[in-house]
Amino acid sequence: MRLPVSLFVIAAALVAGFWWGLGRPVPVAAGAVPDRKLECVSYSPFRGAQSPLDLSVRVDARQIEEDLARLAPLTRCIRTYSIQHGLDQIPAIAERHGLKVLQGLWLSSQRERNRAEIAGTIALVRRHPGVVSGVVVGNEVLLRGELSAVDLGAIIREVKAAVPVPVTYADVWEFWLRNRDLAAAADFITIHILPYWEDIPIPAAESGAHVEAIVKKVAAVFPGRDILVGEVGWPSHGRMREGALPSLSNQALVVQDVLARAQQGGFRVNVIEAFDQPWKRILEGTVGGHWGLLTDQGRTPKFAVGEPVSDHPAWLAQAALGVALVVAVFAAALLAAGSGRTKLPVPVWGAVAVVAVTGGALAGLTAEKVAVESLGWGGLVRGAVLMGVAIVAPVVGAALLGRGTPLPGFSAAIGGRDDRAADWAGRAGAWLLVVVAVLAVQTALGLVFDPRYRDFPFAALTAGVVPFLLVGLVRACGVGVRGAAETVAAAVLGLSAVFVLLNETPANWQAAWLAAAFVALALTLLRVRVAPG
C-alpha cells in the first residue's frame, strides 16, 4: 500500500499546486496605468434577463440611478445607443450625477422606427443641451448593411441641423475608410477598434499598439479631423480567436494600456462597456456578454487600476474540489480492486494517479466555465452534463482500472440484453463513454459547421476522455471486433480535429487542446472491441 499512498500524496500536491499557480494574481504591465477618470464609457442599463431584443422591456429609472451612481466616480461621460426601452431617462439622471452623455440614435433598415428615433432623439437633446455632449447618429449600420452611405449621410445632416451639439456616426474603422465621403457630413469621426474582433485577431499584449496604429492611420486619411475611438475594450470570458484570449487579466491589460496610450498620444477613447450585458450572448455567444468593466449581477468592478488581477478568483474553492476528486479517484480504485489491491501492477497505479491529477485539475476549470458558458435551459442542461462528466468519469475510470475491466463499448450500455455488461463498473463505464462520445461529436460538428461563437469545452471533455484512454492503454482490450458506432464516431472526431485546428490556427491553444482531446477519444474508441453478434 506504500505506492498508492505515495502517489495519492503526490497527486493531491500537484492539483493544489496547479490551482495555486493558476489563481495567483497577474501583474499588469508596467506603465499601462492611466492617471485619470475614463473619458467615456458605453452604458446599457439592461440586467439579467432584460434585453433590448424584447420590445416590451422598459428599464426603471431607479435602476439607471443606481448604475450612474456607481459610474460617476469612474468616468466623466457615458455613451448610449438608443432612446428606446427607457433609455430616454438617462440624460436627466446623468445630470444629477455630473455626467455628460454621448447620446446614441439607433438606426436600422426599418424606416418608420428610424423616423420615430430621429424625432425623439432631437427632442431629447434639445431638452438637455447642457448634458448631451454629442449625438451618435447610427451605430455600425453600414457594417450590418442596413442603410446606404448616401441615406445615412442625409440623416446625419438632418440631425446636425436640428440639434445644438456636435453630430457623428460610429462604425468599425475600416468602414470609414471605405466611405470617406461620409466624413463631410459629420462634425467628428467616431471609429470602433476591437482587437479581439478584428479579421485577424490581435493578442491582448499587442492590442494597445494596434489601437494606436489604427488611430494614426485614420488620422492620416482624414487630416485635421477630430477622431474619437468610440468603442475599444476586451472581453473577460469566452472563446479564444486565434491568439486573442478573453480573460480578466487581459481585459485589465488592454483597457489600461489603451488608456495610457490615449493619454500620451492625445486621442480620445470611449471604453466598451460599463456593465456586462448577458443579452448579447444570444447574438455573440459567451464572449458577447462579458465586455463590462463591472459585473452584471453584483455591479462590482472586475479589476482595480494598476493592481494585479487573478484570472481565477475562486481558485481556493476550485483547488478544494480538485483535491476532493483526487481522494475519490484513489478510493474508487482501492474499493474496486478489493482484496486484489496489493497485486495491482505499477502501471495501473500510475494510470490512476494520472486520472486523479487530470480530473482534479480540470473539474474546477469545468465548473468555472460552465458557470459562464451555460445559456438558457438547454445550455444549463448541457453544462450540468459536462460538469457531471468531469467529476464522474475520473472516478469510474479509476474503478475500471482497479477492477481490471476491459474498455467497454457502446453496446455494453445501449445494446441488446445479451450485449450489456454484467459488471457494474463495465455498465457505468459504457454509459459514460456513450455520453462523452455524444458530447464530443456534437461539439466537433458544431465547430465545423457553425464555429464563430461556440466555446471550447476542452476541460470537461479532457477530464472525460483521459480515464478511458488510460483504461484502453493499461488494461487489455476485450475480445471481438471493432464496433461500427465507435468507428464512425472516431472518424468524425478525427476529421473534425484536423478542421478545427486549421480553422482556428495553432495560435488558439483552446482549439488545439480540444482537437487533441478529439484525437485521444478517437484513438480510444478504435481500441474498443465488441463480441461478435
Side-chain angles (χ1 to χ4, degrees), residues 19 32 36 65 84 115 162 169 199 218 234 251 293 304 306 321 326 330 338 388 440 454 469 493 514:
W19 277 109
R36 56 185 169 87
E65 190 90 45
Q84 304 301 316
R115 295 316 310 173
Y169 165 67
D199 292 337
V218 175
W234 195 266
Q251 183 182 50
L293 300 179
L321 173 62
V326 170
F330 274 88
R454 292 184 182 272
L469 175 66
L493 291 170
L514 184 62

Side-chain angles (χ1 to χ4, degrees), residues 337-428:
S339 58
R341 62 176 66 98
T342 57
K343 299 179 181 179
L344 289 180
V346 172
V348 170
W349 280 120
V352 170
V354 172
V355 168
V357 172
T358 304
L362 298 181
L365 200 56
T366 300
E368 178 184 294
K369 289 190 165 295
V370 164
V372 298
E373 293 176 359
S374 299
L375 178 63
W377 286 108
L380 289 172
V381 170
R382 187 171 187 272
V385 174
L386 285 169
M387 191 69 242
V389 163
I391 292 175
V392 178
V395 175
V396 172
L400 292 173
L401 288 166
R403 201 171 182 82
T405 305
L407 187 66
F410 294 168
S411 61
I414 57 177
R417 180 175 299 178
D418 294 337
D419 296 324
R420 295 174 194 166
D423 180 73
W424 67 267
R427 286 196 304 275

